[in-house]
Amino acid sequence: MTELPGRRLLLVHAHPDDESINNGVTMARYAAEGAHVTLVTCTLGERGEVIPPELAHLSGAALGGHRRGELAEAMRALGVDDFRLLGGPGRFSDSGMMGLADNDDPGCLWQADVDAAAALLVDVIREVRPQVLVTYDPDGGYGHPDHIQAHRVAMRAVELAAEAGCPVAKVYWNRVPRSWADAAFARLRDELPGLPFEKAAGVEDVPGVVDDERITTEIHGEGTEYAAAKAAAMRAHATQVTVAEPYFVLSNDLAQPIITTEYYELVRGERGGGEGREHDLFAGISGGDVTEEAS
């Protein structure tokens, strides 16, 4: 029998690197505080665009295998031991960007039966009994088919788990407040001449930007060891991300700020922590150790 910690967090993401870019501070904080942090990644990102020229030969399964190694390195940086691929390695492949022929691959996540994929996630929920789940909004943040499908799978799994007697107390979607984005990109425009990047992205390029009033929760990281861990985890995903703190670029070569205070919208469960925004995803949840049978 294995006893799980009193606080248990599950994150559901589409590809390796999504977790570090979106939730690196949050994962590092809760791992350091002794919570059980579980990451479920739905695909290996086999169709991602590779940045470093020396790795440009990687594609398909070879790229997926390499990105799996990057994910392991990122998790070491964040202090997270429990990270898994939905259904095991290769169960669902990267679907490519929306509208491409890749979307029609019968083995890709976009083509997966949502209930069948959600059942695989329910198995994880039954094992680790998370009180909190974090995933994307219905648009997947920016419309990528794998992000949209990861959202659908995660939300359906929460429903199925509740029916099976394993309720998840709180569900959050990744968000960015518009006021923060506006201010951060204004600073980026001023600082761009001194950066190793030639062009800047815009607020419209950031997934999940919403009006400030929709933000229910923020996890502070600026100037902390958690922000440093996040930057290290992002660097680990070298095929996809180039970091020059406090900024980074993806394969589009457009600079954008690293988000060191991470923001969320509570969409299921009761808000805790009194007035204003929560500063703890577990606010209002009564802790309690859970004993599971070792597999």
Side-chain angles (χ1 to χ4, degrees), residues 121-178:
L121 187 57
V122 170
D123 290 341
V124 178
I125 293 173
R126 291 171 65 94
E127 176 188 343
V128 302
R129 302 296 180 98
Q131 299 114 322
V132 176
L133 182 147
V134 171
T135 192
Y136 313 106
D137 65 14
D139 186 49
Y142 71 109
H144 192 294
D146 287 335
H147 287 240
I148 294 170
Q149 194 77 323
H151 161 86
R152 293 172 178 170
V153 169
M155 299 305 292
R156 181 58 176 147
V158 169
E159 295 175 352
L160 294 174
E163 294 171 4
C166 299
V168 177
K170 300 174 82 173
V171 176
Y172 292 93
W173 293 343
N174 293 306
R175 291 299 194 194
V176 177
R178 193 169 305 279

Short mmCIF file of all heavy atoms in Angstrom, two decimals, residues 121-178:
data_model
loop_
_atom_site.label_atom_id
_atom_site.label_comp_id
_atom_site.label_asym_id
_atom_site.label_seq_id
_atom_site.Cartn_x
_atom_site.Cartn_y
_atom_site.Cartn_z
N LEU A 121 -7.59 8.36 -18.92
CA LEU A 121 -7.27 9.37 -17.93
C LEU A 121 -7.97 9.09 -16.61
O LEU A 121 -7.42 9.35 -15.53
CB LEU A 121 -7.65 10.76 -18.45
CG LEU A 121 -7.24 11.95 -17.60
CD1 LEU A 121 -5.73 11.97 -17.37
CD2 LEU A 121 -7.69 13.25 -18.26
N VAL A 122 -9.16 8.53 -16.66
CA VAL A 122 -9.86 8.14 -15.43
C VAL A 122 -9.03 7.13 -14.64
O VAL A 122 -8.99 7.17 -13.40
CB VAL A 122 -11.26 7.58 -15.75
CG1 VAL A 122 -11.89 6.95 -14.49
CG2 VAL A 122 -12.17 8.67 -16.28
N ASP A 123 -8.35 6.24 -15.34
CA ASP A 123 -7.48 5.28 -14.65
C ASP A 123 -6.42 6.01 -13.81
O ASP A 123 -6.11 5.60 -12.69
CB ASP A 123 -6.78 4.36 -15.65
CG ASP A 123 -7.74 3.37 -16.31
OD1 ASP A 123 -8.84 3.15 -15.76
OD2 ASP A 123 -7.38 2.84 -17.37
N VAL A 124 -5.88 7.09 -14.36
CA VAL A 124 -4.90 7.88 -13.62
C VAL A 124 -5.57 8.57 -12.44
O VAL A 124 -5.02 8.60 -11.33
CB VAL A 124 -4.23 8.92 -14.55
CG1 VAL A 124 -3.23 9.78 -13.77
CG2 VAL A 124 -3.54 8.23 -15.72
N ILE A 125 -6.74 9.13 -12.66
CA ILE A 125 -7.47 9.81 -11.58
C ILE A 125 -7.79 8.84 -10.45
O ILE A 125 -7.63 9.17 -9.26
CB ILE A 125 -8.75 10.47 -12.13
CG1 ILE A 125 -8.38 11.62 -13.08
CG2 ILE A 125 -9.63 10.98 -10.99
CD1 ILE A 125 -9.57 12.24 -13.80
N ARG A 126 -8.20 7.65 -10.78
CA ARG A 126 -8.51 6.65 -9.75
C ARG A 126 -7.25 6.28 -8.96
O ARG A 126 -7.33 5.97 -7.77
CB ARG A 126 -9.12 5.41 -10.39
CG ARG A 126 -10.52 5.63 -10.96
CD ARG A 126 -10.98 4.42 -11.76
NE ARG A 126 -11.12 3.26 -10.92
CZ ARG A 126 -12.28 2.86 -10.34
NH1 ARG A 126 -13.38 3.59 -10.54
NH2 ARG A 126 -12.33 1.80 -9.60
N GLU A 127 -6.12 6.31 -9.61
CA GLU A 127 -4.86 5.95 -8.94
C GLU A 127 -4.37 7.06 -8.02
O GLU A 127 -4.02 6.81 -6.86
CB GLU A 127 -3.79 5.63 -9.98
CG GLU A 127 -2.42 5.34 -9.38
CD GLU A 127 -1.34 5.22 -10.43
OE1 GLU A 127 -1.67 5.04 -11.63
OE2 GLU A 127 -0.16 5.31 -10.05
N VAL A 128 -4.31 8.30 -8.53
CA VAL A 128 -3.66 9.37 -7.75
C VAL A 128 -4.65 10.27 -7.02
O VAL A 128 -4.24 11.07 -6.18
CB VAL A 128 -2.73 10.22 -8.64
CG1 VAL A 128 -1.68 9.35 -9.29
CG2 VAL A 128 -3.49 11.01 -9.70
N ARG A 129 -5.94 10.16 -7.31
CA ARG A 129 -6.99 10.88 -6.62
C ARG A 129 -6.71 12.39 -6.49
O ARG A 129 -6.69 12.95 -5.40
CB ARG A 129 -7.22 10.30 -5.22
CG ARG A 129 -7.57 8.82 -5.17
CD ARG A 129 -8.90 8.54 -5.85
NE ARG A 129 -9.24 7.14 -5.83
CZ ARG A 129 -10.07 6.57 -4.93
NH1 ARG A 129 -10.65 7.33 -4.00
NH2 ARG A 129 -10.34 5.29 -4.99
N PRO A 130 -6.51 13.07 -7.61
CA PRO A 130 -6.20 14.51 -7.52
C PRO A 130 -7.41 15.30 -7.02
O PRO A 130 -8.55 15.03 -7.40
CB PRO A 130 -5.87 14.88 -8.96
CG PRO A 130 -6.68 13.91 -9.78
CD PRO A 130 -6.63 12.62 -9.01
N GLN A 131 -7.14 16.28 -6.17
CA GLN A 131 -8.21 17.22 -5.82
C GLN A 131 -8.32 18.33 -6.85
O GLN A 131 -9.36 18.97 -6.97
CB GLN A 131 -7.94 17.85 -4.45
CG GLN A 131 -7.87 16.85 -3.30
CD GLN A 131 -6.46 16.81 -2.74
OE1 GLN A 131 -5.49 16.88 -3.49
NE2 GLN A 131 -6.34 16.69 -1.43
N VAL A 132 -7.23 18.58 -7.59
CA VAL A 132 -7.17 19.69 -8.53
C VAL A 132 -6.68 19.18 -9.88
O VAL A 132 -5.72 18.41 -9.95
CB VAL A 132 -6.23 20.81 -8.03
CG1 VAL A 132 -6.10 21.92 -9.06
CG2 VAL A 132 -6.71 21.36 -6.69
N LEU A 133 -7.35 19.63 -10.95
CA LEU A 133 -6.92 19.32 -12.32
C LEU A 133 -6.77 20.62 -13.09
O LEU A 133 -7.62 21.51 -12.99
CB LEU A 133 -7.93 18.40 -13.01
CG LEU A 133 -7.59 17.94 -14.44
CD1 LEU A 133 -8.13 16.52 -14.69
CD2 LEU A 133 -8.15 18.88 -15.51
N VAL A 134 -5.69 20.71 -13.86
CA VAL A 134 -5.42 21.89 -14.69
C VAL A 134 -5.33 21.45 -16.15
O VAL A 134 -4.67 20.46 -16.47
CB VAL A 134 -4.09 22.55 -14.28
CG1 VAL A 134 -3.68 23.63 -15.29
CG2 VAL A 134 -4.19 23.16 -12.88
N THR A 135 -6.01 22.19 -17.02
CA THR A 135 -5.92 21.91 -18.46
C THR A 135 -6.25 23.19 -19.24
O THR A 135 -6.26 24.28 -18.68
CB THR A 135 -6.84 20.74 -18.86
OG1 THR A 135 -6.53 20.32 -20.19
CG2 THR A 135 -8.31 21.11 -18.75
N TYR A 136 -6.53 23.04 -20.53
CA TYR A 136 -6.81 24.19 -21.38
C TYR A 136 -8.29 24.53 -21.38
O TYR A 136 -9.14 23.77 -20.91
CB TYR A 136 -6.42 23.88 -22.83
CG TYR A 136 -5.07 23.25 -23.01
CD1 TYR A 136 -4.95 21.90 -23.33
CD2 TYR A 136 -3.90 23.99 -22.88
CE1 TYR A 136 -3.72 21.31 -23.51
CE2 TYR A 136 -2.66 23.41 -23.07
CZ TYR A 136 -2.57 22.07 -23.37
OH TYR A 136 -1.34 21.48 -23.55
N ASP A 137 -8.61 25.68 -21.99
CA ASP A 137 -9.99 26.07 -22.23
C ASP A 137 -10.53 25.33 -23.46
O ASP A 137 -9.80 24.56 -24.10
CB ASP A 137 -10.10 27.59 -22.38
CG ASP A 137 -9.38 28.14 -23.61
OD1 ASP A 137 -9.01 27.35 -24.51
OD2 ASP A 137 -9.21 29.37 -23.69
N PRO A 138 -11.80 25.50 -23.82
CA PRO A 138 -12.37 24.73 -24.93
C PRO A 138 -11.68 24.95 -26.27
O PRO A 138 -11.73 24.08 -27.15
CB PRO A 138 -13.82 25.21 -24.97
CG PRO A 138 -14.13 25.60 -23.56
CD PRO A 138 -12.86 26.23 -23.07
N ASP A 139 -11.02 26.09 -26.45
CA ASP A 139 -10.29 26.37 -27.68
C ASP A 139 -8.85 25.86 -27.61
O ASP A 139 -8.07 26.04 -28.54
CB ASP A 139 -10.28 27.88 -27.97
CG ASP A 139 -9.67 28.22 -29.31
OD1 ASP A 139 -10.06 27.60 -30.32
OD2 ASP A 139 -8.80 29.11 -29.36
N GLY A 140 -8.51 25.20 -26.51
CA GLY A 140 -7.15 24.73 -26.35
C GLY A 140 -6.15 25.85 -26.21
O GLY A 140 -4.96 25.66 -26.44
N GLY A 141 -6.62 27.04 -25.86
CA GLY A 141 -5.75 28.19 -25.74
C GLY A 141 -5.56 28.93 -27.04
O GLY A 141 -5.68 30.15 -27.10
N TYR A 142 -5.30 28.18 -28.13
CA TYR A 142 -5.05 28.87 -29.40
C TYR A 142 -5.50 28.07 -30.62
O TYR A 142 -5.13 28.38 -31.75
CB TYR A 142 -3.57 29.23 -29.54
CG TYR A 142 -2.63 28.05 -29.78
CD1 TYR A 142 -2.02 27.87 -31.02
CD2 TYR A 142 -2.34 27.14 -28.77
CE1 TYR A 142 -1.14 26.82 -31.24
CE2 TYR A 142 -1.46 26.09 -28.98
CZ TYR A 142 -0.87 25.93 -30.21
OH TYR A 142 -0.01 24.89 -30.42
N GLY A 143 -6.34 27.07 -30.41
CA GLY A 143 -6.96 26.41 -31.55
C GLY A 143 -6.24 25.20 -32.10
O GLY A 143 -6.67 24.65 -33.12
N HIS A 144 -5.15 24.76 -31.47
CA HIS A 144 -4.47 23.55 -31.95
C HIS A 144 -5.35 22.34 -31.67
O HIS A 144 -5.90 22.21 -30.57
CB HIS A 144 -3.12 23.39 -31.23
CG HIS A 144 -2.23 22.35 -31.85
ND1 HIS A 144 -2.54 21.01 -31.84
CD2 HIS A 144 -1.04 22.45 -32.49
CE1 HIS A 144 -1.58 20.32 -32.44
NE2 HIS A 144 -0.66 21.19 -32.85
N PRO A 145 -5.52 21.45 -32.65
CA PRO A 145 -6.43 20.31 -32.43
C PRO A 145 -6.06 19.45 -31.23
O PRO A 145 -6.95 18.96 -30.52
CB PRO A 145 -6.35 19.52 -33.74
CG PRO A 145 -5.21 20.08 -34.50
CD PRO A 145 -4.98 21.46 -34.02
N ASP A 146 -4.78 19.25 -30.97
CA ASP A 146 -4.40 18.43 -29.81
C ASP A 146 -4.73 19.13 -28.51
O ASP A 146 -5.09 18.47 -27.52
CB ASP A 146 -2.91 18.10 -29.87
CG ASP A 146 -2.58 17.07 -30.94
OD1 ASP A 146 -3.47 16.27 -31.30
OD2 ASP A 146 -1.43 17.07 -31.43
N HIS A 147 -4.62 20.44 -28.46
CA HIS A 147 -4.97 21.18 -27.26
C HIS A 147 -6.48 21.13 -27.03
O HIS A 147 -6.95 20.96 -25.90
CB HIS A 147 -4.50 22.63 -27.37
CG HIS A 147 -3.02 22.79 -27.23
ND1 HIS A 147 -2.44 23.55 -26.25
CD2 HIS A 147 -2.00 22.27 -27.96
CE1 HIS A 147 -1.12 23.50 -26.36
NE2 HIS A 147 -0.83 22.74 -27.41
N ILE A 148 -7.24 21.29 -28.10
CA ILE A 148 -8.69 21.19 -27.99
C ILE A 148 -9.10 19.81 -27.51
O ILE A 148 -9.95 19.65 -26.61
CB ILE A 148 -9.36 21.51 -29.34
CG1 ILE A 148 -9.11 22.97 -29.72
CG2 ILE A 148 -10.85 21.20 -29.31
CD1 ILE A 148 -9.53 23.32 -31.15
N GLN A 149 -8.49 18.79 -28.09
CA GLN A 149 -8.84 17.42 -27.71
C GLN A 149 -8.39 17.10 -26.29
O GLN A 149 -9.10 16.40 -25.56
CB GLN A 149 -8.23 16.43 -28.71
CG GLN A 149 -8.80 15.02 -28.63
CD GLN A 149 -10.17 14.90 -29.28
OE1 GLN A 149 -11.01 15.81 -29.20
NE2 GLN A 149 -10.42 13.77 -29.91
N ALA A 150 -7.25 17.62 -25.88
CA ALA A 150 -6.81 17.41 -24.50
C ALA A 150 -7.81 18.02 -23.53
O ALA A 150 -8.12 17.42 -22.48
CB ALA A 150 -5.42 18.02 -24.29
N HIS A 151 -8.32 19.20 -23.86
CA HIS A 151 -9.38 19.81 -23.04
C HIS A 151 -10.60 18.89 -22.97
O HIS A 151 -11.14 18.64 -21.88
CB HIS A 151 -9.79 21.16 -23.63
CG HIS A 151 -11.13 21.62 -23.16
ND1 HIS A 151 -11.33 22.33 -22.00
CD2 HIS A 151 -12.38 21.46 -23.71
CE1 HIS A 151 -12.62 22.57 -21.84
NE2 HIS A 151 -13.27 22.06 -22.86
N ARG A 152 -11.05 18.40 -24.11
CA ARG A 152 -12.25 17.55 -24.14
C ARG A 152 -12.04 16.28 -23.32
O ARG A 152 -12.93 15.87 -22.56
CB ARG A 152 -12.59 17.19 -25.59
CG ARG A 152 -13.04 18.37 -26.43
CD ARG A 152 -13.18 17.97 -27.89
NE ARG A 152 -13.67 19.06 -28.73
CZ ARG A 152 -13.70 19.04 -30.05
NH1 ARG A 152 -13.25 17.95 -30.70
NH2 ARG A 152 -14.15 20.07 -30.73
N VAL A 153 -10.88 15.68 -23.49
CA VAL A 153 -10.58 14.44 -22.77
C VAL A 153 -10.52 14.70 -21.27
O VAL A 153 -11.07 13.92 -20.47
CB VAL A 153 -9.25 13.85 -23.28
CG1 VAL A 153 -8.77 12.72 -22.38
CG2 VAL A 153 -9.42 13.33 -24.71
N ALA A 154 -9.86 15.77 -20.88
CA ALA A 154 -9.73 16.08 -19.45
C ALA A 154 -11.09 16.35 -18.81
O ALA A 154 -11.40 15.82 -17.73
CB ALA A 154 -8.81 17.27 -19.25
N MET A 155 -11.91 17.16 -19.47
CA MET A 155 -13.21 17.51 -18.89
C MET A 155 -14.14 16.30 -18.86
O MET A 155 -14.90 16.11 -17.90
CB MET A 155 -13.84 18.66 -19.68
CG MET A 155 -13.02 19.95 -19.67
SD MET A 155 -12.61 20.59 -18.02
CE MET A 155 -14.24 21.07 -17.43
N ARG A 156 -14.09 15.46 -19.88
CA ARG A 156 -14.91 14.25 -19.87
C ARG A 156 -14.43 13.28 -18.80
O ARG A 156 -15.25 12.64 -18.12
CB ARG A 156 -14.86 13.58 -21.25
CG ARG A 156 -15.71 12.32 -21.36
CD ARG A 156 -17.16 12.59 -21.05
NE ARG A 156 -17.99 11.40 -21.25
CZ ARG A 156 -19.07 11.12 -20.52
NH1 ARG A 156 -19.47 11.96 -19.55
NH2 ARG A 156 -19.77 10.03 -20.76
N ALA A 157 -13.12 13.20 -18.60
CA ALA A 157 -12.59 12.32 -17.57
C ALA A 157 -13.05 12.76 -16.18
O ALA A 157 -13.33 11.92 -15.31
CB ALA A 157 -11.07 12.29 -17.64
N VAL A 158 -13.12 14.06 -15.96
CA VAL A 158 -13.62 14.56 -14.68
C VAL A 158 -15.06 14.09 -14.46
O VAL A 158 -15.43 13.66 -13.35
CB VAL A 158 -13.52 16.09 -14.62
CG1 VAL A 158 -14.27 16.65 -13.41
CG2 VAL A 158 -12.06 16.52 -14.57
N GLU A 159 -15.88 14.16 -15.50
CA GLU A 159 -17.27 13.69 -15.39
C GLU A 159 -17.32 12.20 -15.08
O GLU A 159 -18.06 11.75 -14.19
CB GLU A 159 -18.02 13.98 -16.68
CG GLU A 159 -18.20 15.45 -17.00
CD GLU A 159 -18.85 15.67 -18.36
OE1 GLU A 159 -19.01 14.68 -19.11
OE2 GLU A 159 -19.18 16.83 -18.68
N LEU A 160 -16.55 11.41 -15.83
CA LEU A 160 -16.57 9.97 -15.66
C LEU A 160 -16.02 9.56 -14.30
O LEU A 160 -16.51 8.63 -13.66
CB LEU A 160 -15.78 9.30 -16.78
CG LEU A 160 -16.35 9.43 -18.19
CD1 LEU A 160 -15.37 8.84 -19.21
CD2 LEU A 160 -17.72 8.76 -18.30
N ALA A 161 -14.98 10.26 -13.85
CA ALA A 161 -14.40 9.95 -12.55
C ALA A 161 -15.39 10.22 -11.42
O ALA A 161 -15.47 9.46 -10.45
CB ALA A 161 -13.12 10.76 -12.34
N ALA A 162 -16.15 11.32 -11.54
CA ALA A 162 -17.15 11.62 -10.53
C ALA A 162 -18.21 10.52 -10.47
O ALA A 162 -18.63 10.09 -9.39
CB ALA A 162 -17.80 12.97 -10.83
N GLU A 163 -18.61 10.04 -11.65
CA GLU A 163 -19.58 8.94 -11.70
C GLU A 163 -19.02 7.67 -11.07
O GLU A 163 -19.77 6.85 -10.53
CB GLU A 163 -19.98 8.67 -13.15
CG GLU A 163 -20.75 9.82 -13.80
CD GLU A 163 -20.96 9.62 -15.29
OE1 GLU A 163 -20.56 8.54 -15.80
OE2 GLU A 163 -21.50 10.53 -15.94
N ALA A 164 -17.70 7.51 -11.12
CA ALA A 164 -17.05 6.32 -10.57
C ALA A 164 -16.68 6.49 -9.10
O ALA A 164 -16.03 5.61 -8.52
CB ALA A 164 -15.80 6.01 -11.38
N GLY A 165 -17.08 7.61 -8.50
CA GLY A 165 -16.81 7.82 -7.09
C GLY A 165 -15.46 8.42 -6.79
O GLY A 165 -14.99 8.35 -5.64
N CYS A 166 -14.81 9.04 -7.80
CA CYS A 166 -13.50 9.69 -7.62
C CYS A 166 -13.59 11.15 -8.07
O CYS A 166 -12.98 11.53 -9.07
CB CYS A 166 -12.42 8.96 -8.41
SG CYS A 166 -12.17 7.26 -7.93
N PRO A 167 -14.35 11.96 -7.37
CA PRO A 167 -14.54 13.34 -7.83
C PRO A 167 -13.27 14.17 -7.73
O PRO A 167 -12.45 13.98 -6.83
CB PRO A 167 -15.62 13.87 -6.88
CG PRO A 167 -15.45 13.05 -5.63
CD PRO A 167 -15.06 11.68 -6.10
N VAL A 168 -13.12 15.09 -8.68
CA VAL A 168 -12.05 16.08 -8.65
C VAL A 168 -12.67 17.37 -8.14
O VAL A 168 -13.60 17.90 -8.75
CB VAL A 168 -11.44 16.28 -10.05
CG1 VAL A 168 -10.37 17.37 -10.01
CG2 VAL A 168 -10.86 14.97 -10.58
N ALA A 169 -12.17 17.88 -7.03
CA ALA A 169 -12.83 19.00 -6.36
C ALA A 169 -12.79 20.29 -7.17
O ALA A 169 -13.77 21.05 -7.19
CB ALA A 169 -12.21 19.23 -4.98
N LYS A 170 -11.67 20.56 -7.84
CA LYS A 170 -11.52 21.83 -8.55
C LYS A 170 -10.86 21.60 -9.90
O LYS A 170 -9.90 20.83 -10.01
CB LYS A 170 -10.67 22.81 -7.73
CG LYS A 170 -11.27 23.15 -6.36
CD LYS A 170 -10.34 24.00 -5.52
CE LYS A 170 -10.43 25.48 -5.89
NZ LYS A 170 -9.63 26.31 -4.94
N VAL A 171 -11.37 22.28 -10.92
CA VAL A 171 -10.79 22.24 -12.26
C VAL A 171 -10.48 23.67 -12.69
O VAL A 171 -11.33 24.56 -12.58
CB VAL A 171 -11.75 21.58 -13.28
CG1 VAL A 171 -11.17 21.65 -14.69
CG2 VAL A 171 -12.05 20.14 -12.88
N TYR A 172 -9.25 23.87 -13.19
CA TYR A 172 -8.80 25.17 -13.66
C TYR A 172 -8.40 25.10 -15.12
O TYR A 172 -7.86 24.09 -15.59
CB TYR A 172 -7.57 25.63 -12.86
CG TYR A 172 -7.81 25.95 -11.42
CD1 TYR A 172 -7.65 24.99 -10.43
CD2 TYR A 172 -8.19 27.25 -11.03
CE1 TYR A 172 -7.85 25.30 -9.09
CE2 TYR A 172 -8.39 27.56 -9.70
CZ TYR A 172 -8.22 26.58 -8.73
OH TYR A 172 -8.42 26.89 -7.40
N TRP A 173 -8.62 26.23 -15.81
CA TRP A 173 -8.11 26.40 -17.16
C TRP A 173 -6.96 27.40 -17.13
O TRP A 173 -7.00 28.39 -16.38
CB TRP A 173 -9.20 26.91 -18.10
CG TRP A 173 -10.31 25.93 -18.34
CD1 TRP A 173 -10.30 24.58 -18.11
CD2 TRP A 173 -11.61 26.22 -18.87
NE1 TRP A 173 -11.51 24.02 -18.45
CE2 TRP A 173 -12.33 25.01 -18.93
CE3 TRP A 173 -12.23 27.39 -19.31
CZ2 TRP A 173 -13.63 24.94 -19.41
CZ3 TRP A 173 -13.54 27.33 -19.79
CH2 TRP A 173 -14.22 26.11 -19.84
N ASN A 174 -5.95 27.15 -17.95
CA ASN A 174 -4.84 28.10 -18.08
C ASN A 174 -5.34 29.42 -18.68
O ASN A 174 -6.07 29.42 -19.68
CB ASN A 174 -3.76 27.53 -19.01
CG ASN A 174 -3.07 26.32 -18.44
OD1 ASN A 174 -2.56 26.38 -17.33
ND2 ASN A 174 -3.05 25.23 -19.18
N ARG A 175 -4.92 30.52 -18.07
CA ARG A 175 -5.34 31.84 -18.55
C ARG A 175 -4.18 32.83 -18.45
O ARG A 175 -3.21 32.61 -17.72
CB ARG A 175 -6.51 32.37 -17.71
CG ARG A 175 -7.82 31.61 -17.89
CD ARG A 175 -8.31 31.69 -19.30
NE ARG A 175 -9.71 31.26 -19.44
CZ ARG A 175 -10.26 30.99 -20.61
NH1 ARG A 175 -9.56 31.09 -21.73
NH2 ARG A 175 -11.53 30.63 -20.68
N VAL A 176 -4.32 33.96 -19.15
CA VAL A 176 -3.41 35.10 -19.03
C VAL A 176 -4.27 36.35 -19.00
O VAL A 176 -5.07 36.57 -19.91
CB VAL A 176 -2.42 35.17 -20.23
CG1 VAL A 176 -1.54 36.40 -20.11
CG2 VAL A 176 -1.57 33.90 -20.30
N PRO A 177 -4.13 37.20 -17.97
CA PRO A 177 -4.94 38.43 -17.92
C PRO A 177 -4.47 39.43 -18.96
O PRO A 177 -3.27 39.63 -19.16
CB PRO A 177 -4.73 38.95 -16.49
CG PRO A 177 -3.44 38.34 -16.05
CD PRO A 177 -3.31 37.02 -16.77
N ARG A 178 -5.41 40.08 -19.61
CA ARG A 178 -5.09 40.99 -20.69
C ARG A 178 -4.20 42.15 -20.20
O ARG A 178 -3.29 42.58 -20.92
CB ARG A 178 -6.37 41.54 -21.32
CG ARG A 178 -6.15 42.26 -22.64
CD ARG A 178 -7.46 42.54 -23.34
NE ARG A 178 -8.25 41.33 -23.54
CZ ARG A 178 -8.04 40.47 -24.53
NH1 ARG A 178 -7.07 40.68 -25.40
NH2 ARG A 178 -8.81 39.40 -24.65
#
